Amino acid sequence: MMLVFAMIFHFLVDALCGSTMMWHVVKDLPEKAFELVMFYNALAFATQVFTGWFADRVKHDRLLWLVSIALLLIGATGALSMPWLATVLLGLGNSLFHVSAGREVIRHYAHRGKGKAFELGLFVAPGVLGIGLGCMFPTELYIISLGGFWLTLTPFLWIWPKETPETEVVEKSKQVDIQCLLAALVMTFCVFCRAASGFCAEAPWKASTTLSILCFVLVMGGKMAGGFAGDHCGHWLTGIVALAISWALFAFGGGNVVIGLSAQFIANLMMAITLYILVKLYPSSPGLMFGLAAAVLFPGSLMKLLPNHGMIFNISYLLAAISFGIAWWLCHKRKLCS
């Protein structure tokens, strides 16, 4: 039940943030549209490494979850006449929601043996559809998501799904394991490249509303399917195959609609895999690992601003695939992660 609420809230959070920013905030200050959007993205994504670290120390995910919803609702309603304040509240509320709800999902499934990567993918996936539809149809999604918040919040507070108790999974090691650290850095780099793929790769479907929605659905499906495939075929094997195939599709056929959409689906198989490996490598810091994976999404989206970003992206993505394979070999020797 907790996972179902987390998935619904994730869709609503990103839909509300996207629609509010596009419909209200940017509309009030059109000359500052770029600055407002960049500021929101920096707060919503880049700060998650700090809010995740904070959540690991507070150890009250459900409380932080509710605080994040309060910030979001105030930002989306009470602060609309102040665009910069609304942006701050929406960005920080978004950041805090992801790490608090994500942290509880991680602790309940990846740590307690009830599941593995599949549930992590289920939680993260709806956000893609939420932000995509929210930005494409801001007027409609603002009303739908705001109403959906209250319709979901009421039964959530009434039922109050059983909260996952806080337990120390492992004692923190005082020594730095170089191979473990290397694997974590590679996972972070892979997330960075996956984020860049949504901006640097050719996107012929963007000319059509229908194809754009299909892309959002395929990306969401990839995030869900990646965890399932990893749990059944092996997380490292699924990751390296997804990286290699998606790189080939991006590099040699990204301009084709079918190939480009297939590449986006396959690339996003990596989402649940990289997050699962991170939280298994550092099980005592689930919030920090979730936040780290989310924080690099922002700089990944900025790669498109570089000159020759297409070539830089293809080289970086290939390096990510090679590095992932090396990290797999090193960790397999040490049995650091399944």
Side-chain angles (χ1 to χ4, degrees):
M1 181 64 72
M2 180 271 294
L3 179 59
V4 173
F5 276 113
M7 292 172 64
I8 295 173
F9 274 124
H10 194 180
F11 171 83
L12 294 172
V13 164
D14 284 347
L16 184 62
C17 288
S19 60
T20 303
M21 288 298 300
M22 292 297 103
W23 187 30
H24 286 295
V25 177
V26 170
K27 182 181 177 181
D28 288 344
L29 282 177
E31 71 280 3
K32 296 290 184 180
F34 180 78
E35 291 90 337
L36 284 164
V37 171
M38 287 296 103
F39 186 44
Y40 166 78
N41 286 333
L43 289 174
F45 295 101
T47 64
Q48 285 191 45
V49 69
F50 303 108
T51 52
W53 173 86
F54 176 72
D56 283 336
R57 276 142 187 82
V58 173
K59 297 186 184 298
H60 287 292
D61 293 334
R62 199 63 63 84
L63 173 61
L64 295 179
W65 191 341
L66 294 178
V67 170
S68 72
I69 292 176
L71 290 174
L72 289 164
L73 291 176
I74 294 172
T77 56
L80 289 181
S81 61
M82 297 171 281
W84 288 103
L85 177 59
T87 301
V88 170
L89 293 175
L90 289 170
L92 293 180
N94 188 299
S95 176
L96 190 58
F97 168 79
H98 280 81
V99 297
S100 57
R103 189 175 181 276
E104 185 169 358
V105 171
I106 288 170
R107 292 187 299 105
H108 189 80
Y109 292 100
H111 282 174
R112 299 178 68 198
K114 294 181 179 295
K116 288 189 176 180
F118 180 51
E119 290 81 4
L120 306 187
L122 287 180
F123 166 66
V124 175
V128 177
L129 190 61
I131 192 66
L133 295 179
C135 291
M136 288 183 66
F137 309 103
T139 305
E140 295 82 358
L141 264 293
Y142 176 80
I143 298 172
I144 292 172
S145 57
L146 197 58
F149 251 112
W150 292 110
L151 290 175
T152 307
L153 188 59
T154 301
F156 179 71
L157 295 174
W158 180 265
I159 298 173
W160 196 253
K162 185 178 180 181
E163 189 169 358
T164 305
E166 289 281 354
T167 56
E168 287 293 334
V169 181
V170 294
E171 290 293 330
K172 293 184 179 180
S173 175
K174 294 183 180 180
Q175 295 183 338
V176 177
D177 190 309
I178 299 301
Q179 292 182 3
C180 189
L181 179 61
L182 173 62
L185 291 174
V186 169
M187 295 306 105
T188 305
F189 183 55
C190 289
V191 177
F192 169 82
C193 292
R194 177 175 59 80
S197 70
F199 299 89
C200 295
E202 296 183 71
W205 59 83
K206 288 186 177 180
S208 166
T209 299
T210 302
L211 288 176
S212 293
I213 295 174
L214 177 59
C215 182
F216 297 142
V217 172
L218 288 173
V219 170
M220 180 178 68
K223 294 178 186 295
M224 292 181 174
F228 179 83
D231 290 345
H232 289 81
C233 303
H235 302 101
W236 289 98
L237 177 61
T238 301
I240 193 65
V241 170
L243 275 167
I245 294 177
S246 58
W247 173 80
L249 294 177
F250 282 132
F252 301 108
N256 179 277
V257 173
V258 175
I259 295 177
L261 288 172
S262 300
Q264 290 294 338
F265 174 83
I266 296 172
N268 279 279
L269 297 175
M270 284 296 302
M271 189 288 303
I273 302 299
T274 50
L275 178 57
Y276 178 75
I277 292 176
L278 279 171
V279 299
K280 295 300 285 186
L281 289 170
Y282 291 96
S284 61
S285 303
L288 179 60
M289 292 301 102
F290 188 98
L292 179 63
V296 295
L297 297 178
F298 178 58
S301 69
L302 299 180
M303 187 185 288
K304 66 178 180 179
L305 301 178
L306 297 174
N308 300 316
H309 61 264
M311 180 180 66
I312 294 173
F313 164 70
N314 285 327
I315 294 174
S316 299
Y317 208 92
L318 179 60
L319 289 175
I322 295 172
S323 300
F324 188 94
I326 295 173
W328 179 17
W329 176 70
L330 291 173
C331 290
H332 180 70
K333 288 178 60 178
R334 293 284 303 277
K335 297 181 180 180
L336 292 175
C337 189
S338 62

